[in-house]
Amino acid sequence: QDGELLSIVIQGSWLSKNIQDSALICRHWRQMFPKAEIIVSVSTSDFIDFSLNTDERICLEVACASFKIDTTRREALKILFNAADIIVKAHDELPLPSIKSDTQGLNHVNLQIQASKAGLNHVSRKYTLRIRSDLCLMSKNFLKVYKKHALKTRASYSTFTQRILIPEIFTINPLTLYRMPFHYSDWFHFGLSKDIKNLWKEVRNVSFADSIHYENH
């Protein structure tokens, strides 16, 4: 319950407009699971000069360099670095054209793929919760749900060691607004670390051609 067996991979962007929320969410996870391994994987940032970094790990001094007089954002970064065990920068990727029919927002799927993989590379605990940096769970009830279903009998084509907990919300019916076939929810995944790693291991970047396929098919 205190997170001794748990790795939490938080993946997403660090932007001037969201860094305070990111800090509050990361500290929330630390308060909920004091002994968990917390790994933050940054997909992109609009204020960090990554050329100052010698490897994929981000240091506090480099992150704070752009906020010499912005005390609020400097404090947010301090909270993030205090709450997390490991903070890394994922491989850079470009966003794709919007894949949703009800919004013109860019499709950041390839940034998410790279950030998830980069974070999972550092996992060392038995169980992993991989979650987007703009989301958090307000209780530990997901553990009860997982425990209730994890060891239930599965069919002969089972791929993973145990079941993986994936939200129903944003698991998509491709015949509705969002034309994405076989899209299980990317909001969070929880299970044995080896299963969560395998879930993402063979995920390839989405090509430009695939991202616009349903505009004319």
Side-chain angles (χ1 to χ4, degrees), residues 2 5 8-9 25 27 39 43 45 71 84 108 124 129 135 138-139 147 157 165 172 180 191 196 198 210 215:
D2 59 5
L5 300 178
I8 302 174
V9 175
I25 289 172
R27 185 168 64 182
I39 302 163
S43 58
S45 177
T71 56
H108 294 96
S124 67
L129 171 67
L135 299 174
M138 301 310 294
S139 78
K147 187 175 180 179
Y157 291 101
L165 182 62
I172 293 172
M180 292 177 273
I196 303 300
N198 284 335
D210 284 345
E215 288 187 6

Side-chain angles (χ1 to χ4, degrees), residues 8-182:
I8 302 174
V9 175
I10 306 170
Q11 50 83 203
S13 60
W14 273 13
L15 305 176
S16 296
K17 66 181 181 181
N18 75 7
I19 196 64
Q20 297 170 66
D21 291 337
S22 297
L24 292 171
I25 289 172
C26 191
R27 185 168 64 182
H28 165 75
W29 285 119
R30 176 56 69 202
Q31 292 169 342
M32 189 183 293
F33 295 104
K35 296 184 179 181
E37 175 182 62
I38 297 181
I39 302 163
V40 177
S41 184
V42 181
S43 58
T44 187
S45 177
D46 62 2
F47 61 83
I48 300 178
D49 182 358
F50 290 109
S51 67
L52 301 176
N53 253 47
T54 56
D55 57 27
E56 67 169 350
R57 296 204 183 194
I58 305 171
C59 66
L60 178 60
E61 291 73 19
V62 170
C64 285
S66 298
F67 299 132
K68 294 180 180 179
I69 61 173
D70 190 335
T71 56
T72 300
R73 289 186 172 86
R74 284 180 66 88
E75 182 62 23
L77 287 166
K78 289 178 182 178
I79 289 171
L80 275 161
F81 278 83
N82 285 333
D85 296 294
I86 299 172
I87 299 178
V88 298
K89 171 63 176 70
H91 177 73
D92 287 321
E93 286 295 340
L94 290 176
L96 294 167
S98 177
I99 202 169
K100 302 174 182 178
S101 59
D102 62 341
T103 178
Q104 292 304 306
L106 293 173
N107 179 8
H108 294 96
V109 60
N110 288 339
L111 283 76
Q112 183 185 38
I113 290 170
Q114 292 302 321
S116 297
K117 288 184 174 183
L120 290 169
N121 282 339
H122 293 273
V123 163
S124 67
R125 306 285 177 86
K126 182 177 181 179
Y127 295 95
T128 293
L129 171 67
R130 185 219 57 85
I131 191 166
R132 291 167 42 145
S133 61
D134 57 355
L135 299 174
C136 65
L137 305 177
M138 301 310 294
S139 78
K140 299 179 181 180
N141 287 339
F142 71 97
L143 297 174
K144 295 179 181 178
V145 176
Y146 177 79
K147 187 175 180 179
K148 179 179 178 181
H149 297 282
L151 299 179
K152 286 186 175 180
T153 303
R154 295 173 296 157
S156 56
Y157 291 101
S158 298
T159 301
F160 303 106
T161 306
Q162 290 184 11
R163 292 175 183 267
I164 293 174
L165 182 62
I166 295 177
E168 180 180 9
I169 188 170
F170 219 69
T171 291
I172 293 172
N173 179 344
L175 301 180
T176 56
L177 285 174
Y178 301 160
R179 307 298 297 276
M180 292 177 273
F182 196 62

Side-chain angles (χ1 to χ4, degrees), residues 175-192:
L175 301 180
T176 56
L177 285 174
Y178 301 160
R179 307 298 297 276
M180 292 177 273
F182 196 62
H183 186 293
Y184 50 81
S185 179
D186 60 355
W187 284 19
F188 72 84
H189 302 142
F190 175 74
L192 291 173

